[in-house]
């Protein structure tokens, strides 16, 4: 029987409704949660690591780096087959993607949580935890990077996003669909994920910001970031990767100061490309020195830029890491 490490970081899976507040708060212990997973002793040996009882919004990138350290220590042990991490769903995709970038192991790592707390009918935490353990125990889950398992679906960390505020099937891979499913305690994979990039680092750059482009937006937010010593900027651009012309002055100022500016799309599907040549179009932006971020969401592009800037401050190297094998050179 395989041994699986469970790292509990908190989230809704560890919450119940406080009668005084009439709202959910951390209340369930790790032991309480595990006791609700019927038959867990038949799936695997479990080793519990209590990291904390943090709501999703309380997780910050430095904590993600620390969770990666704890996970790597567990993966280095011969007796550990893989790791399951419980997490609040609000920032789950960011932590999962962070781990996917910095952890390089053939052993499975799964991040999971729940949409309903322990006081609600249909509390989904135990089922998600059981499916996650099944996923880790499957030999087919090796060499697939970090996975997100919720609602009996297995998704890749770089593809999945939270799409709904309350639905149990909130985590979706918008462009490609899930890698597979968990059915009757068996993991069935229907496709492979694209090769995951790895960035080995023990440092990150926290001063990276995310801006969402909207009609008529100017350079004021970019100027603020530059003036306040931010080291990287990610912009969720319009459509294919285009911006209002009023943002160009600020972008050029940032680029002239060797601050990398990464462009992704605010659309939920598709990748950015320098296919428009008008003022503010993707071609002009790329000619200016903007870096294209493929199909990453804004939040994931920010995570990646934070990690990359922990390795190098050279804008050319940052571009190479983001655009390699994805875009033609200009």
């Amino acid at each position: 029987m395989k041994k699986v490490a469970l790292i509990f970081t908190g989230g809704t899976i560890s919450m119940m409704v406080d009668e005084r507040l009439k709202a959910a708060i951390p209340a369930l212990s790790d032991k309480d949660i595990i006791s609700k997973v019927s038959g867990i002793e038949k799936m695997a040996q479990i080793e519990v690591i209590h990291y904390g009882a943090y709501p999703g919004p309380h997780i910050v990138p430095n904590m993600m780096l620390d969770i990666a350290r704890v996970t790597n220590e567990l993966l280095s042990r011969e007796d550990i087959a893989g790791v399951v991490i419980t997490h609040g769903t609000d920032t789950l995709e960011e932590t999962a993607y962070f781990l996917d970038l910095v952890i390089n192991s053939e052993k499975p790592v799964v991040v999971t949580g729940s949409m309903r707390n322990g006081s609600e009918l249909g509390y989904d935490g135990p089922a998600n935890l059981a499916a996650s353990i099944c996923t880790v125990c499957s030999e087919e889950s090796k060499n697939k990077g970090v996975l997100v398992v919720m609602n009996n679906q297995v998704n890749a960390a770089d593809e999945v996003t939270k799409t709904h505020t309350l639905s149990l099937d909130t985590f979706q891979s918008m462009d490609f669909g899930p890698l597979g499913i968990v059915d009757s305690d068996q993991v069935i994979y229907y496709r492979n994920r694209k090769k995951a990039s790895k960035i080995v680092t023990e440092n990150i750059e926290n001063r990276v910001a995310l801006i969402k482009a909207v009609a008529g937006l100017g350079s004021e937010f970019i100027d603020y970031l530059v003036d306040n010593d931010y080291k990287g900027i990610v912009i969720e651009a319009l459509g294919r990767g285009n911006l209002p012309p009023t943002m160009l002055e600020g972008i050029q100022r940032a680029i002239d100061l060797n601050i990398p500016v990464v462009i992704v799309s605010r659309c939920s599907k598709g990748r950015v490309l320098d296919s428009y040549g008008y003022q503010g179009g993707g071609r002009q932006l790329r000619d200016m020195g903007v870096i294209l971020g493929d199909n990453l969401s804004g939040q994931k592009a920010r995570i990646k830029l934070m990690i990359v800037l922990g390795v190098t401050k050279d804008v050319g190297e940052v571009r190479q890491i983001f655009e390699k094998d994805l875009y033609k050179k200009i």
Side-chain angles (χ1 to χ4, degrees):
M1 186 177 293
K2 293 184 176 182
K3 179 181 281 189
V4 176
L6 299 186
I7 303 175
F8 286 90
T9 74
T12 299
I13 194 172
S14 66
M15 296 187 186
M16 294 188 71
V17 172
D18 180 273
E19 288 302 318
R20 181 178 62 85
L21 295 174
K22 305 299 181 183
I25 61 171
L28 294 170
S29 69
D30 304 343
K31 185 177 180 180
D32 290 335
I33 300 168
I34 292 174
S35 69
K36 298 177 185 296
V37 185
S38 59
I40 193 172
E41 69 282 351
K42 300 175 184 178
M43 297 185 204
Q45 292 179 278
I46 302 298
E47 180 173 329
V48 175
I49 297 89
H50 180 77
Y51 187 86
Y54 300 101
H58 291 196
I59 299 290
V60 299
N62 281 338
M63 293 170 68
M64 298 175 192
L65 187 63
D66 192 48
I67 293 168
R69 176 190 60 78
V70 174
T71 304
N72 273 322
E73 289 176 356
L74 290 165
L75 293 171
S76 68
R77 288 171 40 186
E78 290 187 6
D79 63 323
I80 296 294
V83 176
V84 174
I85 302 164
T86 69
H87 198 286
T89 59
D90 284 350
T91 54
L92 186 150
E93 66 194 84
E94 290 169 80
T95 295
Y97 184 54
F98 188 108
L99 299 175
D100 193 52
L101 287 171
V102 302
I103 292 175
N104 191 12
S105 173
E106 71 166 11
K107 295 180 180 180
V109 176
V110 171
V111 186
T112 192
S114 69
M115 291 300 293
R116 295 175 181 166
N117 66 68
S119 298
E120 292 181 278
L121 292 174
Y123 172 47
D124 55 321
N128 289 335
L129 193 54
S132 298
I133 294 169
C134 290
T135 301
V136 164
C137 290
S138 171
E139 287 294 312
E140 292 187 48
S141 296
K142 289 183 176 179
N143 292 306
K144 284 187 166 56
V146 175
L147 304 169
V148 173
V149 176
M150 296 275 292
N151 199 42
N152 287 323
Q153 292 189 343
V154 183
N155 287 280
D158 62 337
E159 298 173 357
V160 74
T161 191
K162 186 175 182 179
T163 65
H164 200 283
T165 60
L166 61 89
S167 292
L168 298 187
D169 64 347
T170 180
F171 282 93
Q172 301 286 329
S173 294
M174 302 298 290
D175 276 318
F176 311 112
L179 299 178
I181 61 171
V182 182
D183 186 8
S184 298
D185 300 337
Q186 178 185 1
V187 184
I188 303 169
Y189 288 101
Y190 292 108
R191 68 175 179 90
N192 293 320
R193 63 172 291 180
K194 62 183 180 182
K195 186 177 180 181
S197 59
K198 299 296 176 182
I199 307 169
V200 179
T201 183
E202 295 180 357
N203 302 295
I204 59 173
E205 175 54 66
N206 280 290
R207 297 191 68 77
V208 176
L210 171 61
I211 297 173
K212 190 184 191 80
V214 293
L217 187 65
S219 294
E220 56 271 21
F221 294 127
I222 299 171
D223 289 336
Y224 172 86
L225 298 173
V226 171
D227 292 340
N228 285 272
D229 200 33
Y230 274 74
K231 306 301 184 183
I233 300 171
V234 175
I235 302 175
E236 282 190 5
L238 311 173
R240 196 71 152 129
N242 313 303
L243 291 172
T246 43
M247 295 183 71
L248 298 180
E249 183 178 348
I251 290 171
Q252 189 64 67
R253 181 182 175 213
I255 290 171
D256 289 344
L257 292 171
N258 291 315
I259 300 172
V261 178
V262 176
I263 293 289
V264 294
S265 178
R266 71 179 193 178
C267 298
S268 59
K269 294 183 180 181
R271 66 195 290 262
V272 292
L273 186 67
D274 52 336
S275 53
Y276 286 91
Y278 54 76
Q279 188 181 19
R283 176 52 58 89
Q284 182 185 16
L285 294 173
R286 198 165 183 216
D287 288 343
M288 290 170 60
V290 161
I291 297 166
L292 302 184
D294 194 38
N295 67 341
L296 287 174
S297 63
Q299 57 268 31
K300 287 183 181 176
R302 174 178 175 265
I303 289 292
K304 185 170 185 176
L305 186 54
M306 295 175 85
I307 293 171
V308 172
L309 289 175
V311 176
T312 179
K313 296 295 194 292
D314 183 277
V315 176
E317 292 179 2
V318 174
R319 180 187 308 281
Q320 172 71 2
I321 293 172
F322 269 88
E323 294 189 353
K324 184 181 179 182
D325 300 327
L326 295 171
Y327 297 99
K328 297 177 181 178
K329 293 182 179 180
I330 58 172

